[in-house]
């Protein structure tokens, strides 16, 4: 899951966003840095949900539904509770101090965290599940997928023929319509469920993966162009082109998802050292990365003042270092593995 490495620069850049999105730490808007977030945002989370759908299809081939659901509770629900209860009060406390000069102690702030329910971002010191929304969504969607797969088992078992590759592109057309359905904080439960199911029923097919591999570089080129146009239209253009911007965003989302799956099939050695290393630590990395981003931004601002380059680069480098240190410590401690949904690996 090397793609998770993008999370640190992605979340670091949000502190300079130019569209006014609340964040734990916020400096003045910077269009260059904001471009990083806008470049990755259309397809990053959709890709994760599609990959999760593929993984679920393979997992259910080796496990009973009950075994799979128990595993999901261990890997997703327990880390969700742990992250929300342990890490989010810290990040919310830092946000309250940074934005509103909260003067009381950390433990006193727990009362604020658990009683202030506003936009649920945590940027005002109130309650938030932060980045752990992904684990909650994935848990609920995984439960839904078990029910759907059970009902469709007879249909799937009698359907031997793969869908044509051109139809995969058609499957991306509903995405703009689904993006606002059951949307919490701009995160559509319906859209992500749809993407998960496409991963489960479509991209788990080796023939589709092979076709994505065969056309991966062409699709990647198209996706990059669409992503760059999306950045330009959303951030740099002096006039709003709402329709064109919407088109470039969703073309970028769907084409890049297909392209990156194809490129992963071609170039990533899933049994290589780097892939094995990241796969065993993926949930640990996801759990720890954001709190270090927020903490280092807060500390660097206090030390260096509003020096954008130092804070941005410093936060990224220090956050990678601290996150991987936490991963290495946690993977060797059974309790921390339990609460982060990670397999205990003391020697790896």
């Amino acid at each position: 899951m090397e793609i998770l490495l993008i999370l640190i620069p992605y979340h670091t850049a949000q502190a300079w966003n130019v569209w006014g999105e609340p964040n734990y730490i916020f400096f003045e808007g910077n269009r260059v840095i904001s471009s990083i977030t806008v470049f990755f945002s259309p397809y990053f989370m959709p890709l994760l949900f599609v990959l999760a759908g593929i993984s679920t299809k393979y997992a259910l081939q080796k496990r009973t539904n009950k075994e799979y659901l128990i595993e999901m509770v261990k890997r997703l629900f327990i880390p969700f509770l742990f992250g929300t209860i342990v890490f989010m009060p810290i990040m919310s406390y830092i946000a309250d101090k940074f934005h509103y000069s909260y003067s009381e102690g950390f433990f006193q702030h727990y009362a604020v965290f658990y009683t202030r329910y506003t936009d649920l971002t945590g940027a005002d010191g109130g309650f938030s599940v932060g980045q752990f929304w992904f684990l909650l969504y994935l848990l609920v969607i995984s439960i839904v997928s078990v029910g759907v797969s059970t009902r469709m088992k007879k249909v799937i078992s009698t359907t031997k023929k793969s869908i044509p590759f051109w139809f995969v592109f058609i499957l991306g057309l509903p995405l703009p319509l689904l993006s606002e359905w059951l949307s919490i904080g701009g995160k559509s439960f319906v859209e992500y469920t749809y993407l998960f199911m496409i991963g489960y029923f479509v991209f788990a097919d080796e023939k589709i993966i092979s076709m994505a591999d065969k056309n991966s570089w062409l699709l990647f080129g198209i996706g990059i162009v669409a992503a760059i146009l999306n950045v330009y239209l959303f951030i740099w253009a002096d006039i709003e082109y709402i329709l064109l911007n919407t088109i470039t965003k969703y073309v970028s989302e769907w084409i890049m998802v297909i392209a990156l799956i194809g490129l992963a099939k071609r170039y990533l050695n899933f049994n290589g050292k780097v892939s094995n290393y990241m796969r065993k630590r993926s949930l640990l990395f996801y759990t720890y990365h954001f709190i270090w981003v927020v903490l280092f931004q807060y500390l660097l601002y206090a030390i260096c003042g509003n020096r954008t380059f130092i804070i941005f680069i410093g936060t990224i480098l220090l956050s990678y270092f601290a996150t991987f240190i936490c991963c290495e410590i946690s993977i060797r401690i059974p309790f921390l593995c339990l609460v982060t949904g990670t397999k205990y690996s003391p020697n790896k």
Side-chain angles (χ1 to χ4, degrees), residues 47 50 54 163-166 168-169 202-220 254-267:
L47 177 62
V50 171
I54 297 172
I163 66 171
F165 188 59
W166 61 264
V168 175
F169 298 96
V202 178
F203 283 104
D205 186 336
E206 283 296 325
K207 293 181 180 178
I208 297 297
I209 295 288
S210 296
M211 289 301 297
D213 172 12
K214 183 178 179 181
N215 297 279
S216 57
W217 278 113
L218 173 62
L219 294 174
F220 185 71
W254 194 231
I255 297 299
M256 285 295 281
V257 165
I258 301 171
L260 290 172
I261 289 174
L263 290 172
K265 165 73 173 177
R266 178 177 300 193
Y267 293 107

Side-chain angles (χ1 to χ4, degrees), residues 80-301:
F80 166 75
L81 288 180
F82 175 72
T84 302
I85 294 171
V86 175
F87 290 118
M88 293 316 303
I90 301 173
M91 296 168 69
S92 176
Y93 170 69
I94 293 173
D96 210 349
K97 286 182 67 67
F98 184 85
H99 292 296
Y100 304 105
S101 301
Y102 181 79
S103 58
E104 296 188 49
F106 170 68
F107 292 104
Q108 286 82 355
H109 193 266
Y110 270 91
V112 178
F113 180 75
Y114 286 112
T115 58
R116 183 183 294 170
Y117 295 87
T118 51
D119 58 7
L120 300 180
T121 65
D124 63 352
F127 180 82
S128 176
V129 300
Q131 76 268 30
F132 301 104
W133 70 268
F134 172 66
L135 304 183
L136 182 61
Y137 270 40
L138 192 55
L139 173 65
V140 177
I141 293 171
S142 297
I143 294 171
V144 171
S145 73
V146 169
V148 172
S149 65
T150 299
R151 288 184 173 275
M152 295 191 65
K153 193 169 289 185
K154 292 183 180 181
V155 177
I156 298 300
S157 63
T158 57
T159 305
K160 302 293 184 181
K161 192 174 181 181
S162 299
I163 66 171
F165 188 59
W166 61 264
F167 189 72
V168 175
F169 298 96
I170 302 297
L171 292 174
L173 292 179
L175 290 173
L177 303 176
L178 301 178
S179 63
E180 298 300 324
W181 288 20
L182 291 181
S183 181
I184 303 173
K187 302 167 181 65
S188 170
F189 181 79
V190 173
E191 179 185 2
Y192 289 137
T193 301
Y194 178 74
L195 290 163
F196 182 98
M197 293 301 178
I198 290 178
Y200 186 99
F201 289 110
V202 178
F203 283 104
D205 186 336
E206 283 296 325
K207 293 181 180 178
I208 297 297
I209 295 288
S210 296
M211 289 301 297
D213 172 12
K214 183 178 179 181
N215 297 279
S216 57
W217 278 113
L218 173 62
L219 294 174
F220 185 71
I222 296 171
I224 288 292
V225 170
I228 292 173
L229 284 173
N230 179 53
V231 170
Y232 172 76
L233 292 170
F234 187 72
I235 292 181
W236 296 93
D238 295 326
I239 302 174
E240 286 191 15
Y241 299 94
I242 297 175
L243 177 60
L244 184 58
N245 199 176
T246 301
I247 292 172
T248 57
K249 176 184 176 182
Y250 287 100
V251 168
S252 168
E253 174 181 349
W254 194 231
I255 297 299
M256 285 295 281
V257 165
I258 301 171
L260 290 172
I261 289 174
L263 290 172
K265 165 73 173 177
R266 178 177 300 193
Y267 293 107
L268 289 185
N269 180 2
F270 293 103
N271 294 315
K273 291 182 178 180
V274 175
S275 291
N276 282 330
Y277 178 88
M278 284 301 300
R279 184 163 57 249
K280 293 172 182 176
R281 293 159 177 81
S282 58
L283 278 172
L284 287 169
F285 186 91
Y286 190 87
T287 298
Y288 288 120
H289 82 280
F290 207 170
I291 191 169
W292 286 116
V293 167
V294 173
L295 182 60
F296 285 127
Q297 284 181 329
Y298 181 78
L299 293 175
L300 287 172
Y301 179 78

Side-chain angles (χ1 to χ4, degrees), residues 48-65 68-69 71-72 76 138-139 141-147 149 196-197 199-201 204:
L48 291 185
F49 278 100
V50 171
L51 292 175
I54 297 172
S55 298
T56 297
K57 180 64 175 290
Y58 291 131
L60 287 174
Q61 291 174 355
K62 300 177 182 179
R63 300 168 179 82
T64 65
N65 289 350
Y68 172 75
L69 291 175
E71 182 181 351
M72 288 300 98
L76 298 175
L138 192 55
L139 173 65
I141 293 171
S142 297
I143 294 171
V144 171
S145 73
V146 169
S149 65
F196 182 98
M197 293 301 178
Y200 186 99
F201 289 110

